[in-house]
């Protein structure tokens, strides 16, 4: 109703301006100041029209804006109608703008808009909220989560733009009114929170649940405290060992990050590292972690223990063009052989820019650094892309190992992953091993190495050598498969 009233007002204003302008122009030769008055009036009128148009229609894509979405949501609520709010983002648009230019990025936004426009169930209620985010309002009958996940996969299909093939990385959040909110501002705010959760999840998809606001408030607190965490030495590195399944020998340790928060207690990396990546804090934390681990490696080497240590790299680390130089210089300065360093990278990060990542990793690999792909099976990389990457080790995600003895599908994935890795000449490490049954099945399947609570929990730097001595004295190891 408000928009219609504004439209009528502008129409009458336009008529008034046109009629008044004619009189003013006829008398302009007698009163030159009238001509200036007409010009000012016309400028104000067109400015008002342009402002209203920009508030309601996105100039790039031609669909509605945040303002129009807010108005439509309020209208649906006032009519007591139930509806779904689907909010999605193109997460790799900044990288595309940076590497290929904003023209290509704009073409991607327009192409994705065309895909969204062709959908039937939003009935034209489609909006661009900001640079890389879109909103759909869906009235009954609702689409189910399976169809929505399928929609996300469809939107993630490659697009050919100006001779370049691009794959948009899509995150999607879903909530429902009135269950998740009865106010436009509240629904839009909660959809933003849910979209953040979707970006942090491995699936890239999140359905809003009650209590998410409290979780978001906790995350905001963590973001505010991250800088202090580094400066006040609240972060600490712990180490979890890996062993060979055929001999029980220790092959090395994985460096893991923990945060001893002054009020929230011990925090694990799954909670705060994704926040650090998306907020820009990861560059500071990543460099701190690398320096800490290399200092520990140097100290152990001085004690006669040249241990191979694995460090998890983030997408921010991979985006640093000086990463290889910094790593090799840090090892050289501490007299550590590159073969003592393993870098673990998730397949999602590798797929962001496969060619650049492959060149970086190949450079490090030629120097002797071991390269591992982490969380295998949780992403969407193709076998062809995986084959082209310079890898030495494949790590099976703990989510598959956890249900290895219970879920036939997970057992099939584990067996297939091990066979695939061996065909590519890779070592296989299983994460999250907690029971003797899991260890026995992994050994039977041909898995090379394992880590998990059955072997040892992550330990402080000061306990590593003591644990290593006690472990080597134990004959046979109490977890060894029979």
């Amino acid at each position: 109703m408000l928009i219609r009233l504004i439209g009528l007002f502008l129409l009458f204003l336009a008529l008034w301006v046109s009629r008044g302008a004619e009189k003013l122009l006829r008398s302009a030769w007698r009163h030159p100041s009238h001509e200036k008055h007409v010009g000012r009036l016309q400028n104000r009128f067109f400015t008002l029209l342009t402002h209203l148009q920009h508030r309601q229609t996105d100039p790039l894509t031609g669909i509605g804006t945040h303002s129009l979405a807010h108005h439509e949501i309020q209208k649906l609520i006032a009519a007591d109608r139930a509806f779904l709010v689907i909010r999605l983002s193109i997460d790799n648009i900044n990288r595309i703008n940076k590497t290929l230019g904003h023209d290509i990025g704009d073409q991607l936004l327009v192409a994705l808009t065309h895909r969204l426009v062709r959908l039937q169930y939003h009935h034209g209620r489609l909006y661009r909220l900001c640079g890389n985010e879109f909103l759909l309002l869906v009235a009954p009958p609702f689409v189910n989560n399976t169809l929505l996940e399928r929609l996300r996969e469809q939107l993630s299909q490659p697009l050919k733009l100006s001779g370049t093939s691009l794959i948009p990385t899509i995150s999607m959040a879903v909530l429902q009114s009135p269950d998740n909110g009865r106010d436009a501002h509240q629904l839009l705010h909660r959809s933003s929170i849910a979209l953040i959760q979707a970006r942090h999840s491995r699936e890239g998809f999140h359905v809003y649940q009650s209590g998410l606001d409290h979780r978001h408030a906790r995350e905001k607190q963590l973001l505010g405290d991250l800088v202090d965490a580094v400066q006040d030495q609240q972060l600490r590195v712990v180490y979890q060992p890996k062993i060979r399944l055929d001999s029980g020998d220790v092959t090395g340790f994985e460096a893991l990050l923990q945060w001893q928060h002054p009020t929230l207690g011990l925090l694990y990396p799954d909670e705060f590292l994704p926040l650090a990546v998306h907020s820009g804090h990861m560059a500071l934390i990543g460099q701190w972690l690398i320096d800490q681990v290399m200092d520990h490696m140097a100290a152990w080497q001085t004690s006669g223990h040249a241990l191979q240590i694995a460090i998890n790299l983030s997408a921010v680390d991979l985006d640093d063009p000086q990463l290889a130089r910094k790593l090799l210089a840090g090892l050289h300065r501490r007299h550590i052989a590159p073969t003592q360093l393993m870098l673990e990278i998730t397949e999602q990060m590798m797929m962001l820019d496969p060619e650049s990542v492959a060149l970086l990793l190949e450079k490090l690999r030629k120097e002797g650094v071991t390269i591992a792909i982490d969380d295998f099976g949780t992403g969407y990389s193709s076998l062809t892309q995986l084959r082209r990457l310079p890898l030495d080790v494949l790590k099976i995600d703990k989510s598959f190992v956890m249900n290895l003895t219970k879920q036939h599908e997970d057992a099939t994935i584990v067996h297939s992953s091990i066979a695939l890795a061996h065909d590519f000449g890779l070592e296989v490490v299983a994460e999250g091993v907690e029971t003797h049954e899991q260890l026995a099945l992994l050994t039977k399947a041909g898995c090379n190495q394992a880590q998990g609570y059955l072997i040892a929990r992550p330990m402080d730097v000061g306990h590593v050598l003591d644990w290593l001595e006690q472990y080597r004295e134990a004959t046979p190891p109490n977890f060894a498969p029979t």
Side-chain angles (χ1 to χ4, degrees), residues 240-244 247-253 307-308 449 455 467-468 471-472 479:
Q240 188 173 40
K242 295 175 287 186
I243 56 97
R244 292 202 65 86
S247 64
D249 293 340
V250 176
T251 59
F253 291 77
L307 303 176
Q308 186 184 64
Q449 304 177 40
I455 301 160
W467 178 89
L468 195 60
Y471 172 83
R472 288 173 175 172
F479 60 82

Side-chain angles (χ1 to χ4, degrees), residues 69-77 83 135 137 184 187-188:
H70 187 281
H71 169 77
E72 187 64 25
I73 291 173
Q74 285 293 74
K75 191 168 69 172
L76 290 171
I77 293 173
F83 58 94
L135 190 83
L137 301 178
L187 285 169
L188 288 169

Side-chain angles (χ1 to χ4, degrees), residues 93-105 161 164-166:
I93 191 70
N94 289 335
R95 181 181 291 271
I96 290 171
N97 286 336
K98 181 179 178 181
T99 56
L100 300 177
H102 286 270
D103 288 343
I104 299 296
L161 306 171
T164 301
S165 180
L166 296 177

Side-chain angles (χ1 to χ4, degrees), residues 173-443:
V174 182
L175 62 161
Q176 181 175 338
S177 179
D179 294 351
N180 300 137
R182 297 176 178 270
D183 174 79
H185 177 76
Q186 184 182 55
L187 285 169
L188 288 169
H189 175 66
R190 288 180 171 175
S191 70
S192 176
I193 294 174
L195 186 60
I196 292 173
Q197 298 300 321
R199 291 193 189 107
H200 292 173
S201 70
R202 289 172 179 167
E203 295 80 15
F205 181 85
H206 188 83
V207 178
Y208 181 88
Q209 298 173 342
S210 60
L212 197 57
D213 295 36
H214 173 74
R215 180 176 173 182
H216 183 63
R218 177 184 172 95
E219 290 179 347
K220 287 182 66 176
Q221 179 184 354
L222 294 180
L223 283 174
D225 296 342
L226 269 172
V227 174
D228 291 338
V230 176
Q231 295 177 348
D232 298 343
Q233 298 183 344
Q234 297 170 13
L235 298 178
R236 66 179 186 183
V237 185
V238 294
Y239 295 89
Q240 188 173 40
K242 295 175 287 186
I243 56 97
R244 292 202 65 86
L245 294 184
D246 55 0
S247 64
D249 293 340
V250 176
T251 59
F253 291 77
E254 180 181 359
L256 302 169
L257 199 58
Q258 295 180 351
W259 182 1
Q260 189 63 50
H261 194 279
T263 59
L264 300 177
L266 184 62
L267 305 177
Y268 294 96
D270 288 348
E271 180 174 12
F272 64 88
L273 284 186
L275 297 176
V277 170
H278 290 286
S279 65
H281 292 82
M282 197 60 217
L284 177 64
I285 293 176
Q287 189 57 54
W288 179 88
L289 173 64
I290 291 171
D291 289 339
Q292 287 286 305
V293 171
M294 288 189 179
D295 286 345
H296 296 163
M297 294 171 69
W300 290 325
Q301 183 168 269
T302 301
S303 302
H305 298 83
L307 303 176
Q308 186 184 64
I309 305 298
I311 299 177
N312 292 275
L313 294 182
S314 70
V316 177
D317 296 321
L318 291 177
D319 204 34
D320 181 2
Q322 301 299 318
L323 177 64
R325 182 191 62 79
K326 291 177 181 178
L327 289 173
L328 295 173
L331 293 171
H332 178 74
R333 187 167 61 251
R334 296 172 177 87
H335 306 288
I336 301 171
T339 52
Q340 292 177 232
L341 179 64
M342 176 186 290
L343 300 177
E344 296 189 6
I345 303 168
T346 65
E347 54 180 315
Q348 291 95 327
M349 288 189 293
M350 283 183 161
M351 293 307 109
L352 291 176
D353 189 356
E355 293 183 2
S356 297
V357 173
L359 289 173
L360 169 66
L361 298 182
E362 185 60 41
K363 180 178 181 179
L364 289 165
R365 195 165 176 250
K366 286 180 179 179
E367 298 293 332
V369 177
T370 302
I371 307 298
I373 183 169
D374 197 10
D375 298 342
F376 181 76
T378 62
Y380 300 96
S381 61
S382 70
L383 299 182
T384 301
Q385 290 172 318
L386 184 62
R387 176 177 58 83
R388 293 174 179 171
L389 293 169
L391 301 172
D392 302 291
V393 176
L394 182 146
K395 298 191 73 175
I396 299 176
D397 186 67
K398 61 185 177 183
S399 61
F400 298 112
V401 176
M402 185 184 305
N403 297 315
L404 184 60
T405 60
K406 303 174 184 178
Q407 297 287 345
H408 174 72
E409 294 81 3
D410 286 358
T412 301
I413 291 174
V414 169
H415 280 74
S416 301
S417 299
I418 293 173
L420 173 68
H422 287 166
D423 286 343
F424 287 162
L426 307 179
E427 282 269 308
V428 182
V429 180
E431 298 180 306
V433 179
E434 298 183 0
T435 68
H436 292 280
E437 292 78 11
Q438 293 169 349
L439 197 69
L441 287 175
L442 289 167
T443 303

